Amino acid sequence: MLDIRDKRILEELQGDATVAVADLADTVGLSVSACWRRIKALEDHGLIARRVALIDRRRANVGTTVFVGVRTSRHSIEWLEAFRKAISDIPEIVEAYRLTGEIDYLLRLVVPSVEIYDAVYKQLITRLDFTDITSFIAMEEMKFTTAIPLRYA
């Protein structure tokens, strides 16, 4: 179970993982060495999975987000693994989920244009057979965060 200082450390790091340990220690009311030990323990326990740079999608020319719902009539481990392999080397697919309900898989893609999405779509349909692929082009990003709620931790 995390205490209040661990949660504060995580909240601060979710906002800026490049913050100096000395500054973070001051913010959460710990010595530098105690703060560093807590960060190390959070990493060792896997709560901090990795530290990354968040790239501005529009400045990187991938400002269009497309959600793709995939349905299949095949529900076997072999098909699942083939699907996992089919999407693994397509960098425009930044998230993929297996779902319950009417849609079997949900993909999130970031692309510069609908034409590039169409090229990715063609890659997918040449790799596997699908029952249905439904695309949803995002008109507006209303909320985006990589920060997770820590009140349950």
Side-chain angles (χ1 to χ4, degrees):
M1 198 61 149
L2 300 177
D3 69 14
I4 189 72
R5 286 195 173 126
D6 288 334
K7 289 180 181 180
R8 289 278 321 278
I9 289 169
L10 291 171
E11 286 171 356
E12 294 297 321
L13 289 175
Q14 285 189 104
D16 181 4
T18 67
V19 65
V21 175
D23 294 336
L24 181 57
D26 187 50
T27 299
V28 300
L30 290 170
S31 69
V32 173
S33 59
C35 186
W36 182 86
R37 282 192 303 271
R38 284 178 180 249
I39 294 169
K40 180 75 172 115
L42 292 166
E43 290 173 335
D44 291 346
H45 287 98
L47 196 54
I48 296 176
R50 64 183 186 259
R51 300 184 202 195
V52 299
L54 297 178
I55 308 300
D56 184 303
R57 291 183 307 102
R58 284 171 181 73
R59 290 181 188 235
N61 194 33
V62 287
T64 301
T65 299
V66 182
F67 295 95
V68 178
V70 174
R71 288 185 27 202
T72 180
S73 59
R74 300 200 41 215
H75 297 280
S76 66
I77 294 297
E78 294 80 19
W79 197 93
L80 172 65
E81 291 307 317
F83 182 67
R84 192 182 313 269
K85 186 175 186 291
I87 66 172
S88 67
D89 66 344
I90 301 173
E92 293 84 359
I93 300 173
V94 295
E95 293 181 72
Y97 301 92
R98 188 166 53 92
L99 306 175
T100 62
E102 292 186 28
I103 296 175
D104 298 309
Y105 302 91
L106 181 66
L107 308 175
R108 183 172 73 92
L109 289 75
V110 293
V111 293
S113 65
V114 173
E115 292 79 16
I116 298 299
Y117 166 64
D118 188 46
V120 172
Y121 169 84
K122 289 173 183 172
Q123 274 185 280
L124 280 172
I125 63 172
T126 60
R127 294 178 181 193
L128 281 172
D129 289 325
F130 301 99
T131 300
D132 183 50
I133 295 180
T134 305
S135 303
F136 306 91
I137 298 172
M139 301 295 290
E140 175 184 4
E141 183 177 278
M142 298 176 67
K143 179 180 180 180
F144 175 82
T145 182
T146 60
I148 64 164
L150 295 170
R151 65 177 169 231
Y152 308 104

